[in-house]
Amino acid sequence: MECVPPCSDRPGFGEETPGVPLSSGPPTPLRAQTFSSFSPSKSYSRQSSSSDTELSLTPKTGMGSGGSAGKEAGPLKVFLRQQTQSALEQREYPFFTLTAFPPGFLLHVGGVVSARSVKLLDRIHNPALGNNTRSYKLLDWNSFTADEPETRDAWWEEIRQEIKSHAKALGCHAVVGYSESTSICEEVCILSASGTAAILSSRFMQDGPLDVEHRFEEVVSPGCGFCHIPYDELNIPFPAQLTYCYCCRRYKVPDVLFTTIDLPTEANVTGKGCLIQARLCRTKKKAQGEGNATAISNLLPFLEYELHTQLMNKLKLRGMNALFGLRIQISVGETMLLGLASATGVYLTALPSPGGIQITGKTPSDITYEQHISNMQKKINDTITKNKELYEINPPEVVEEIIGSPIPEPRQRSRLFRSHSESSDEVSELDLSHGKKDAFVLEIDDTDAVEDIHALLTDFSIPAGFYSCNTEIMPGIQNWTSAIQMFTSVRVFRLNTNLTNQGLNKIFSDLCENLLKSLYFKLRSMVPCCLCHLNFTVAIPEDELIQVAVTAVAMSFDKEQTLENGKQSGEKTLIKAITDEQLQFSLELNAETSSPNPLSSPKGLSDVGSHPSARASSVDYSSFADRCSSWIEQLKLKAHTIRRGSVKTTSSMEKASPLPEGRSRSLRSNRSYSGSSVAVVKMTPLSFIPGAKIIKYLGIINMFFIRETTSLREEGGVSGFLHTFIAEVFAMVRAHVAALGGNAVVSYSMKECVFMENPNKNQAQCLINVSGDAVIFVRESELELTSVQPQSATTQTSNGGEGT
Amino acid sequence: MSVELDVFVGNTTIMDKEVYQLWLNGYTVNDAVKFRIEGGVMEECEASAEVLLSDTMDQYRTFQMCERLLHHPAKLANQLLFQIPPDRQAMLIERYYAFDDSFVREVLGKKLSKGTKKDLDDVSLKTGITLKSCRRQFDNFKRVFKVVEELKGPLVENIRQHFLLPDQLAGDYAAIVFFANNRFETGKKKLLYLTFQDFAFCAGQLINNWTVGAVDNMMEDMDVDLDKEFLQDLKDLKILITDKDLLDQHKSLVCTALRGKTNVFNEMEANFKNLSRGLVNIAAKLINAKDVRDFFIDIVEKFIEPCRSDKWTSIDVNLYLTHYTNSVHILDTFKYHAVWTRYMGVIKSCILRMYHD
C-alpha cells in the first residue's frame, strides 16, 4: 500500500513514473474489486520492505484536526477513531494507491491533497554524459553512485510528509488514491504527489483472519456518508461553504468535492458524469541550473491555481459539484510548463447544487464592454441549462426548500441511523452557508481572463450518444454490452517559436479537444458508448514539441435498460469477493486440482476466449493419460513458467503431449485458413470486463520495448513508425497473454511512451512501457450455461472444464 | 505549427468500409477527405475537416500496413499484428480482390507480364480508374495466376482456398487466369459488346468441360489447360462437313425438326451449311494454339454475326442449336458421339450467352 519505491529501482525514463514499484512484494493482480488482498498484515510487511527511510516522527498524538478533539462527542466515537488511527499510524505513510474500495470503507473524504517539489539533478549528473541530455535521460541509472538513492528517498520523504500533514489538516488520517510522478527536463525535476485525504473505517483495519463476507455485510453505508466533512467546521483550513447534506440532512457537506479516487459504488449521483479537463501552458525563460529551478518553482503555484480555477469553472458550467479521478500532470520543458488536469465531474446528490457563474467587469466604463459582458453571461447561462439537460442533472427540488431551515425534523431521524456513524456530527448549530445560490464570480480584469472565458465556452460539446470519463465506470451507466475497444492514440504537435501564453494555451487546448473529437469520430460506430478511463499523458519531448498520449476503452451499452438496471448490476460487477481459483498463486490445498489446468494446453486455453464451444473437441485430442502426464510435467514447471514466461512451457508441452500438438499443427499447416488459429485477446484499462467473470489471474504483464529506425521515411514517417510500433506492442502483449493461457488483459496501461526523432538523419527512437494483468475470463452467459453440471461434481472436474 | 505525428491504434483494428473503398479506388488522402465531406459524414457525426483528415490518414496507414497481408489472405487470419474480427477479414479480402469490369475487359486474355503492366496508364486513362487501382487489380490477377498456375486440382477451388474468396469472385478469377493462360483474344472490336461476365461464363463452361480436370480429377494436369486429347479428337468431327451425304442428311434432319417452329426457318435452312461448316471448322482448328486464341472471334464471326444479320432471336438460336446437336446422333455413319456432345454442349451454352438480342 505504501508506495515508497526506492528510486534506484526505476530507471529514470522521464515523466510520470508510476508509483507502484515492480520490485516490492508479489504482483497483486487485484485492483478495485479485490478486497481480500486488503489484508493489513500484508501491507504492513510490505511497508518495512519497501521503504528504508525509517521515520521516528510518526505522530502519536490522539486526534488530528487541531483543537477539535474537545468537540468530539461520545467516547465510543473517539475510541473508534483512535483505533482506526492507530492501525493506520503504525504505518509510516497511511497512503493507499487504490482508487476503489468496498462500500463503507471510506467514512469521510476530505478532498485532494497534493505536494510538489522542484529538484536539481545536477549532483547526480554524470559529467561523462553531460553533453547529451537525451542519452542522459535514458541512461541515468548508469550514473548512480552509492549515496544517490538516499538523496532521492529523502526528496520523496519530504513530499510524503507534506501530503500526510495536508491530510491531517483536513482532519483525515489516511490518503487514498495516492500517486506520485515526476517530470524531468535537463537537470530539473518536478516531483509531484497527490491523493485524497480520507477517514477510513476501522473495521477493515483490524488484524486477524479475514472474514470478508462478514465485514462487508455489517457496513450498510448510506450513499452520502463519504461526502460529510471530516474536518471541524469552525477550524476549516480553507474557506468553504458548508451546508447540511442533501441526502440525510444531518451532517455538513462542502459545496464542492475534489477527489483522486473512483466514484464510490454506494454514492448517490444525480444524472451522468463527464470528463472535465483543465489545460494550461505557460512560457518560461530558458535558464540553467538553480535559476531554472527557481523560475519553475515560481510558476508552479500560479499554474496550479489556474488549473484549479479552470476545473471549477468547467464543473459549474456543467452544473456539477464533484470531481473524481482528478489527475494533474505538470510537464516541464525548456521554455514552457504544461499543466493538464483531468477528472470526471458528477453531481453528487448529497452536495448542494452549484450556483451559476457570474461575470463582472472590473472597469465598467463603456457601454459596449458592458454589452459584451452581458452577452457572455447569457451564453454561460444557456450553456449551463443545456448541460444540465445533457447530463440529466435534475436534482429533486424539494430538498432545496428545506435547506433554509436546517435544524428541525432530520435530527430525530439521525438518531435512528446513528449506530455506525463516527463523524463529527456534533457540529454547531451555526449555519455558515451563505445562501444556497451563491454565484461563482468571475472577474474579467485583463485580456487573460477574457481568453479564459472564451476557452471555457468554446469547449465543444460531446457528440450525441457519447459519454466520457477518466474513472473506471460512468455513474448512471451499468448495462454494458460486451463490445469493448481499447485504444491508444498519440499526437505530437510542433509549435512556432515566440508564442504568447494565450497562444500557447489555445494551441494546447485545441490539441486536446481535437484529439477527443477524433476519438469520438473514430468510435462513432459503437454509439451509444462511453469512453472510460480516458487517460491523458502529456510530455514535452523536445523544445517546441508537445506530445499527448491517450489510452482508454470505449464500451457500448444498451440504452433502454440504463435506468432500470440501476445500481445492482454495477455492484455485481465491482463487488465480488475473490476466490482462490482466481488467484495467480493457488493455495497449496487445491494446487493439484486447480493449478495445472490453466497450463495444460496452451492451444486449448486460447480457445476458451475465441470459441469456447471448441473446448470439448480439444479435450478429445489427447487421451486422458496424456493429459495426466502433461499435468504432472506442468506442475513441476509451474514455478518456472510464471517467472520465465511462456517459451519454456510451450516447448515442454510439445514433449509432454506430442499427439495433440502434432495433430493441431498438421491441421494448421493444411488448409484451415478459414478458422483463425490466433486467439482473440481483449484488452482494457479497467479492472473488469463487462458481462464476463474473471476466473483466473495469471500474473502481471510488464513489458518494455525500445524500437529504433534508420529508415524513417521508408516506414511512412514518424506516424508510420509509431503506428507500427504501437500495433506491435499490442500484438506482443496479446501474444504473451495468450501464451500464458489467458484471453484478456485488464488494468492495462501505457506507462511510458518516449518518442524521439531526427528526421534529418532519417531516424527515430521510441520507448514504450506497458503493463496489465493477464486473466482468463468467461462470459457470464456461458458461465450460467456450464455451471449447472459441474456444480455437483468435484472441484477437479469443474476446474478441468474451465482449463482444457 | 503543425501536427507532427498523429496515430490511433485500437486493440481491435478499426477499419471504415467507406474509407477502405476510397483507398482501394486509389484516391489520395485529400481526395478521399473531399469525397467523405461530400458524403455527409461530417454532419452525421459533428466532425470537422481536420478530424476527417486525421482519421483518413490513419486509416490509409492501417490499410497500407495490412496490404502485404492481403497479398496472402491466408496470412491475415494467422497474423498477430492486427486483431481483426473474421467477418471484417473476409470483407477486407473480398474488397481487395474485387475488380472493375471495365478494367478487366481491358486486360482479359492478355499476358500478365511487365509489358502489359506498363500499358496500364493507358488503361487508366481509358477507363477513368486511377492508375493505383489499376495496378492493384493487375497485381491481384498476376498474383492469383502465379499461385494457381502450378497447382493441381480444380481451379476455382484452388483460388477459393488460397485467397479465401467467395465463390462468385473465385469463379471470376478462375476465368481471368484461364483467359490469361490460353491468351484468348477479347479485345477485338467485334468482341467489345461482350461483358466480362459473358466471358466468365464461357470460361466456366470451358473449364468444366474441356480441360483435363473436367474428365478426370486424379490427373496430374490442371484446369488451366485444355484437354489436348480432346482437341485432337475434335478433328474427327470434320467428317460432318467433308462427307457430303452426312451433311445433307444432317441438314434435312434439322430442317424437318425445325419446320413450322420458327419465323426464320428459311434463313436457317439457307444458312445451314455455312453455319455447320463454321462450327465444325472451329472444332477442327482448336488443336492449334493460335486458333484457340481466336476461339471467341471465330464464334462471333462464323455463327453469331450471320444469325444476327438474319434477325434470329435467342429462342431461335437455342432451338436451332438443340436440334443441330441432337440430330447428329441419329446419323448412322457418325461414330464420334461423345466428342460431339462434349464439344457442342459448351459451344451451345457459350453461343447462347454471347448472343445478345
Side-chain angles (χ1 to χ4, degrees), chain A residues 350-402:
Chain A
L351 266 52
S353 170
I357 299 175
Q358 195 195 326
I359 309 176
T360 62
K362 207 173 196 179
T363 48
S365 47
D366 56 319
I367 294 282
T368 50
Y369 188 65
E370 293 282 297
Q371 193 78 42
H372 177 61
I373 284 187
S374 72
N375 271 345
M376 279 211 283
Q377 182 68 58
K378 191 174 173 298
K379 258 192 200 168
I380 286 179
N381 294 344
D382 289 350
T383 314
I384 294 179
T385 322
K386 211 182 77 199
N387 278 331
K388 279 191 175 172
E389 220 166 90
L390 182 64
Y391 299 111
E392 297 160 34
I393 298 169
N394 30 23
E397 288 295 325
V398 202
V399 178
E400 302 205 21
E401 287 166 27
I402 299 168

Side-chain angles (χ1 to χ4, degrees), chain A residues 461-464 484-496 499 507 514 517-519 521-524 545 668 671 673-683 716 718-720 722-724 726-728 730-731 734-735 755 757 759, chain B residues 1-14 16 18-19 36 41-42 44-48 50-52 54-59 61-62 64-65 68 73-83 86 89 157-158 161-164:
Chain A
S461 62
I462 195 162
I484 63 170
Q485 167 69 282
M486 193 278 298
F487 58 85
T488 291
S489 184
V490 181
R491 275 193 191 183
V492 175
F493 201 85
R494 186 171 287 282
L495 304 165
N496 279 349
L499 277 164
I507 287 168
N514 286 336
K517 275 188 209 167
S518 276
L519 297 182
F521 182 75
K522 285 250 181 221
L523 299 160
R524 63 191 186 284
L545 285 185
R668 204 178 307 159
R671 44 174 74 151
Y673 309 125
S674 46
S676 159
S677 61
V678 181
V680 174
V681 175
K682 296 227 174 203
M683 289 168 82
V718 283
S719 295
L722 194 63
H723 194 135
T724 318
I726 294 176
E728 283 169 357
F730 283 6
R734 287 194 302 258
F755 180 77
E757 56 163 330
Chain B
M1 270 173 293
S2 58
V3 175
E4 179 110 350
L5 181 158
D6 178 8
V7 298
F8 175 99
V9 189
N11 185 36
T12 306
T13 309
I14 294 183
D16 187 309
E18 189 203 347
V19 186
R36 295 183 81 184
V41 74
M42 270 189 1
E44 201 180 295
C45 325
E46 306 165 39
S48 66
E50 218 174 314
V51 166
L52 226 65
S54 151
D55 178 62
T56 311
M57 296 249 270
D58 212 74
Q59 303 253 3
R61 209 162 36 233
T62 311
Q64 267 151 29
M65 286 161 74
R68 64 192 173 82
K75 284 190 183 159
L76 196 64
N78 290 301
Q79 52 85 32
L80 297 166
L81 190 55
F82 301 103
Q83 193 155 276
Q89 289 183 12
E157 187 58 20
N158 279 341
Q161 287 205 340
H162 276 86
F163 292 91
L164 309 177

Side-chain angles (χ1 to χ4, degrees), chain A residues 276-290:
Chain A
I276 292 179
Q277 280 192 324
R279 304 138 186 160
L280 203 63
C281 219
R282 282 286 172 264
T283 50
K284 168 184 95 61
K285 286 232 163 59
K286 230 178 199 171
Q288 290 292 311
E290 198 107 18

Side-chain angles (χ1 to χ4, degrees), chain A residues 8 12 44 83 119 143 183 384 399 427 495 497 529 566 588 599 642 675 702 704 737 782:
Chain A
S8 54
Y44 186 70
Q83 194 189 10
K119 296 288 183 190
S143 58
S183 171
I384 294 179
V399 178
V427 281
L495 304 165
T497 41
C529 91
E588 292 200 340
L599 298 168
I642 285 156
N702 187 51
F704 285 87
V737 171
E782 286 157 20

Side-chain angles (χ1 to χ4, degrees), chain A residues 2 10 26 153 208 308 412 474 482 515 525 555 643-644 675 697 729 773 783:
Chain A
E2 290 81 357
R10 305 176 290 183
D153 277 356
H308 186 88
Q412 288 175 324
M474 177 72 149
S482 60
L515 187 50
S525 64
M555 304 206 290
R643 278 183 200 90
R644 287 182 201 166
Y697 284 90
V729 167
D773 295 325
L783 210 63

